[in-house]
Amino acid sequence: MLIFNKKSDLSAFLSPLIQQNKSIGFVPTMGALHKGHLSLLEKSLSENEITVMSIFVNPTQFNNSEDLDKYPRTLERDIQIMQEVSNTIIVYAPEVEDIYEGKTVSQSFDYDGLENQMEGKHRPGHFDGVGTIVKRLFEIVQPNKAYFGEKDFQQLQIVKKLVEKNNIPVAVIGCPIHREDSGLAMSSRNERLSETARKNAAIIYQILNSAKEIFATNSAEATVKWVENEFQKHPDFQLEYFEIADETTLLPVNTKEADKKYRGFIAIFIENIRLIDNISLN
Ligand code: PAF
């Protein structure tokens, strides 16, 4: 398996392959790999001649320095895990300097309002940081296809918008959420939960599933209230938001319309660790 730390070395390796029109699949990650990441890798390996995975904890997308400091960094283990999947994967694991060249700041992006909802409201600047790193990585890797998990559904829609508005020739592929046996959405942040919290966090998906049933015969407002009440019964959890939004515009639902697709989105703290999840509602 080839591991590059410098974008110049990666570009020098990839450029003859790009000239030969080899198809390149790209899986950008922040490491601490889990089965969700591996499913993206496997999809890329099955659809492309070359697969590149990046491992980079991007500082500009963190609005909370403690969250950035505590984000798990497990490069050696990640490399071992990837090796077990395939030794043909090309890894790009840069330092901050290689990406930001002394200016660790975000570019500003207009995603037609997608950035003003949910995660955008609660994590100011987050999607400018995501847009900055994803655009930069796309310029370095020049993939044909890039794979993103639906756990970060708003991020997926934002990256699709980034590509559309900047005419970047990359097909952005969304991949289903992977869940632990308990139903908890797989996330690198789960590693920071105590065993008890990880077990208790199964309730998040249980409540999302019940919300889906309730939404089938009730308004969005009533469903949101129900979810908020449920979490009040569980003081270990601090609900940041539960919103029901249109899948495409990410705008909150006022009145249900038959031809629209809706999703419930949640952000919640347990043991001071912020988890997000979402569920398709129709
Ligand atoms: O989803 C992530 O892990 C990150 O937001 C991404 C897309 C790798 C950008 O840093």
Side-chain angles (χ1 to χ4, degrees):
M1 206 166 64
L2 287 171
I3 302 167
F4 295 94
N5 304 118
K6 299 243 174 304
K7 60 177 179 291
S8 52
D9 293 339
L10 177 66
S11 297
F13 174 80
L14 289 175
S15 107
L17 301 169
I18 293 168
Q19 296 210 327
Q20 292 162 39
N21 279 326
K22 298 270 188 212
S23 57
I24 300 182
F26 179 43
V27 182
T29 79
M30 298 206 295
L33 300 184
H34 51 70
K35 283 192 187 139
H37 294 118
L38 300 191
S39 71
L40 306 182
L41 258 185
E42 268 151 15
K43 192 157 168 63
S44 175
L45 286 163
S46 72
E47 293 183 353
N48 302 281
E49 289 162 290
I50 292 154
T51 287
V52 179
M53 176 176 249
S54 63
I55 295 187
F56 178 63
V57 181
N58 173 37
T60 64
Q61 71 187 73
F62 286 82
N63 58 317
N64 174 331
S65 56
E66 195 189 334
D67 192 23
L68 172 61
D69 290 344
K70 291 199 171 153
Y71 201 87
R73 289 158 172 89
T74 55
L75 185 59
E76 265 177 40
R77 201 194 72 179
D78 292 346
I79 288 170
Q80 251 175 26
I81 292 174
M82 274 188 275
Q83 200 103 45
E84 282 163 26
V85 175
S86 163
N87 62 7
T88 65
I89 300 163
I90 313 295
V91 182
Y92 176 44
E95 295 292 333
V96 172
E97 179 58 26
D98 194 52
I99 294 284
Y100 284 102
E101 299 175 347
K103 274 172 69 188
T104 314
V105 288
S106 299
Q107 206 182 318
S108 292
F109 291 94
D110 169 4
Y111 305 104
D112 291 347
L114 294 177
E115 71 279 24
N116 300 327
Q117 307 305 320
M118 300 178 291
E119 292 300 282
K121 265 192 274 187
H122 292 273
R123 300 184 68 189
H126 171 63
F127 288 123
D128 281 339
V130 169
T132 303
I133 186 63
V134 170
K135 188 161 170 279
R136 216 155 277 189
L137 289 170
F138 282 177
E139 283 158 6
I140 296 167
V141 177
Q142 297 184 47
N144 303 88
K145 294 183 180 174
Y147 299 83
F148 293 82
E150 286 185 349
K151 184 178 76 66
D152 298 290
F153 193 86
Q154 185 172 12
Q155 167 174 278
L156 170 65
Q157 300 300 64
I158 290 235
V159 172
K160 285 183 179 164
K161 188 61 82 179
L162 172 84
V163 160
E164 178 198 313
K165 291 193 90 163
N166 292 278
N167 296 315
I168 303 173
V170 178
V172 176
I173 319 271
C175 304
I177 301 176
H178 264 250
R179 297 187 178 278
E180 301 189 354
D181 290 342
S182 69
L184 177 65
M186 287 193 181
S187 163
S188 306
R189 286 191 171 86
N190 295 354
E191 308 246 327
R192 292 176 50 207
L193 296 171
S194 68
E195 214 178 299
T196 313
R198 198 158 175 161
K199 219 166 90 207
N200 291 346
I203 201 170
I204 300 170
Y205 188 51
Q206 287 161 17
I207 290 184
L208 287 181
N209 271 305
S210 303
K212 181 174 179 152
E213 278 172 35
I214 289 168
F215 184 66
T217 51
N218 289 274
S219 67
E221 197 188 347
T223 311
V224 170
K225 279 226 168 76
W226 180 83
V227 170
E228 289 171 352
N229 278 338
E230 279 308 292
F231 279 111
Q232 275 180 3
K233 296 179 200 158
H234 299 276
D236 293 356
F237 292 87
Q238 292 81 46
L239 180 65
E240 187 168 66
Y241 66 79
F242 173 72
E243 282 195 24
I244 297 180
D246 179 300
E247 267 196 20
T248 317
T249 62
L250 301 181
L251 290 172
V253 180
N254 291 321
T255 315
K256 286 197 245 178
E257 290 173 49
D259 57 338
K260 295 256 168 82
K261 294 210 80 185
Y262 299 117
R263 220 166 245 270
F265 295 87
I266 193 165
I268 192 155
F269 287 89
I270 178 166
E271 291 182 337
N272 232 5
I273 294 157
R274 189 172 184 276
L275 302 177
I276 61 170
D277 199 350
N278 66 82
I279 189 167
S280 164
L281 294 177
N282 61 341

